[in-house]
Each structure stands twice: as structure tokens, then as C-alpha cells.
Amino acid sequence: MRAQVLTAAGRPLVATELPAARPGPQQLLIAVRACAVCRTDLHVVDGELSDPKLPLVPGHEIIGTIVEKGESADRFRVGDRVGVPWLGWTCGVCEYCQSGRKNLCDRARFTGYQIDGGYAELTVADERYCFAIDERYGDVEAAPLMCAGLIGYRTLRMAGDAPLVGIYGFGAAAHIVAQVARYQGRRLFAFTRPGDVAAQDFARSLGAEWTGGSDQPPPEPLDAALIFAPVGALVPAALAATKKGGTVVSGGIHMSDIPSFPYRILWEERVVRSVANLTRCDAEEFLALAPEAGITTETVSYPLARANDALSDLRNGALQGAAVLVT
Ligand SMILES: [Zn+2]
Ligand SMILES: [Zn+2]
């Protein structure tokens, strides 16, 4: 099978012909139709996440069709279409797994990081972390739901019932979360890179009633802030824009260092927290809600062979919506 392979951090991916993997007992062999490119892939390729298997096939927003099942796999049938997300395996016995927090499993393994992912014609996934995809979505438009959508949804959930939400960084995750927030009847402000008029127009088209640079104060204080840009300086900026008792949630897996800030912008019961990975429950909830809420995704397709171009366009901020590799 054709695959795009990372051989060492900081190097471009290499087009490689690999032997097709075989599914283990509870695994599925999946013909990849589409795989979205997540900012986490960039962090892996650039070496900011330091623990990938090598060589590695990246990619954890996979949509594909089951071509073969392991002997004890019984959740799906051959021919079914499934989505495969970042969380790829959990141990089931650690204190986190035992308390409904599988996203924090001590021995968790991740797709496109410790498990070969979707930048390939075929991939193998544990059926417990595969999800049915509503038929209303095409392969390409469904792909960004698998991480930008799922992690974005969990990030929004951590904001509680905040009626006015500010989003910092308007990329793939934000463009989905904005639609969920509006569907839930929340008001939305969007903060982009200063001067990024295109991103601000995009945010307004998805229901943001105010947009501005991340260096600007909002016209009224936020009930909660969601940060999707990997920029630590946004944490104090978001705190300063958030009301008493409000929450600032960081949805990313990697961020530059957070600069020190005066305690008074945290005081009055403001909360700063992060979101890590996803649970199966998040995925089931979000993938049911997305078609009901009419969530759409904006995508830019690249053939699999152009994975490096997709990564550099994401790195350079040249994308509106999500890049998707098509096999
Ligand atoms: Zn565990
Ligand atoms: Zn991701």
C-alpha cells in the first residue's frame, strides 16, 4: 500500500510502499477514503511532540471502509464506513479507565502517533475506537469531524453553559465549534491573528457577532474562552477578557510557554483548564449531534501524495477550514 511516512522529526514525509497490515483479533482493516490534517500532525512532524513511533504513518482524522475484520471484531460489518479518531487504544484497567476517564488512560495509545494512521491507502484500527459516520456526510467533509470536531466539542463542553463564548484561533476546530455553539443558542465572539481579515470574515459567516484581533479587548466580557491556537500568550489575554467565575479552556495538545501574569486576572474564581483527547462518549454524542445541527465543514482536498504541501499550508496559516488528504 502507498503511505506517507515520517522517518525522523523535522524531516518531510516520504512516499513509501508498505506491506498491508493485518487486523488483530479486535481490529478492523480499513481502506482509507479521506484523512484530515490536524495541527497535532504538525506538532508530531515538527518534533514538538516527542514520543512518536518511528517510522510513522501520521493521520488521525480517518474516514474509510472496512475491508476485513479480526476474528473477535463484532461491532461492524465488512463494507461499513467508519471514522477513526486520535485516541486509538486504552488499557481498561488503570484508575482513569475505571472511572470513566479513558481519555486520560495511563497507557493510552494514539492514532498517527503510537499507532500507524491514515496517511495511507489502508489502516488498522481497534474497533472499540471506530465510529459510524452519518450518511449525510461525504468522506471528505466528514474527516475533520474526527478531531477538529470531537476535540472542539469537548473543549466547548468544558465551558459549561456559558452563554457568551470567545474563540481564540479560527481554524479547523473553531469553524466546527462555532456552529455547535450557535446551534446551542450561545453568542459568539472570534479572536484571530491581528489583521487576519479573511479569518474574521469566515468567523462572521459562521455566526460570530463580533470579531477582532487577539490583542483587542472584546466589547463585553466573555463567559468563557476557548483557545485553539498554540500560543501561550493567549491564556492571559483570554483571562483578561473573561468575566468573574468564567473558564478559559485550551483545546490543543501543545502550546508555547504561557507568560507570567498578575494574579488579579485569575482571581474571582476564574478557571484555566486544558482538554486532553476524547472519550467514546464524546464521539458518540458529537457524531449524533453534528448531522442534527446541520454542522458542515469547509475543506481543502489534497491527493495523498501531496501530504507535505498540506502540512506546510497548515503551518503557514494558508488554509480556511481543514486540509483533507484524499486516497
Ligand atoms: Zn487505562
Ligand atoms: Zn487532532
Side-chain angles (χ1 to χ4, degrees), residues 21-42:
R22 307 283 311 162
Q26 231 180 332
Q27 290 181 325
L28 307 171
L29 179 65
I30 297 164
V32 178
R33 302 289 175 222
C35 183
V37 176
C38 177
R39 182 166 291 281
T40 299
D41 300 346
L42 266 190

Side-chain angles (χ1 to χ4, degrees), residues 261-279:
F261 53 83
Y263 175 64
R264 66 180 155 71
I265 66 173
L266 176 64
W267 187 61
E268 294 168 320
E269 304 199 342
R270 291 179 185 84
V271 174
V272 176
R273 67 164 301 160
S274 66
V275 156
N277 315 318
L278 66 142
T279 63

Side-chain angles (χ1 to χ4, degrees), residues 67-302:
V67 292
E68 194 184 330
K69 302 194 312 179
E71 62 214 23
S72 48
D74 57 8
R75 292 189 62 220
F76 299 97
R77 286 176 305 194
V78 169
D80 284 356
R81 184 171 72 149
V82 290
V84 185
W86 168 247
L87 183 60
W89 185 86
T90 52
C91 76
V93 296
C94 74
E95 66 172 287
Y96 297 100
C97 283
Q98 291 283 316
S99 59
R101 295 178 292 167
K102 287 194 156 76
N103 61 311
L104 300 178
C105 172
D106 283 334
R107 286 175 283 276
R109 298 177 68 219
F110 301 102
T111 313
Y113 190 41
Q114 284 110 16
I115 303 169
D116 279 335
Y119 290 18
E121 289 177 300
L122 292 165
T123 195
V124 162
D126 187 309
E127 68 161 3
R128 290 166 292 186
Y129 285 99
C130 292
F131 300 94
I133 302 297
D134 191 277
E135 61 189 15
R136 280 169 275 188
Y137 289 102
D139 298 330
V140 170
E141 55 174 341
L145 300 177
M146 296 313 298
C147 187
L150 284 179
I151 303 281
Y153 177 68
R154 186 171 175 83
T155 306
L156 178 62
R157 221 162 49 120
M158 295 307 169
D161 56 6
L164 172 57
V165 174
I167 295 183
Y168 287 76
F170 213 85
H175 97 284
I176 297 173
V177 172
Q179 297 172 65
V180 178
R182 294 293 299 136
Y183 175 73
Q184 293 172 336
R186 305 179 199 242
R187 297 172 60 211
L188 185 66
F189 289 176
F191 301 75
T192 68
R193 261 184 281 232
D196 191 344
V197 176
Q200 293 175 12
D201 288 347
F202 186 39
R204 267 195 303 276
S205 76
L206 293 170
E209 67 181 79
W210 175 90
T211 59
S214 55
D215 56 346
Q216 285 176 254
E220 57 184 291
L222 309 170
D223 295 303
L226 316 181
I227 302 178
F228 293 112
V231 179
L234 293 176
V235 172
L239 267 174
T242 300
K243 268 187 204 163
K244 291 185 279 192
T247 303
V248 174
V249 192
S250 174
I253 191 170
H254 171 82
M255 188 179 244
S256 56
D257 286 354
I258 300 170
S260 72
F261 53 83
Y263 175 64
R264 66 180 155 71
I265 66 173
L266 176 64
W267 187 61
E268 294 168 320
E269 304 199 342
R270 291 179 185 84
V271 174
V272 176
R273 67 164 301 160
S274 66
V275 156
N277 315 318
L278 66 142
T279 63
R280 218 164 91 173
C281 170
D282 295 325
E284 277 157 3
E285 242 177 72
F286 173 70
L287 291 171
L289 178 146
E292 284 310 306
I295 305 296
T296 57
T297 61
E298 179 133 337
T299 57
V300 183
S301 297
Y302 298 74

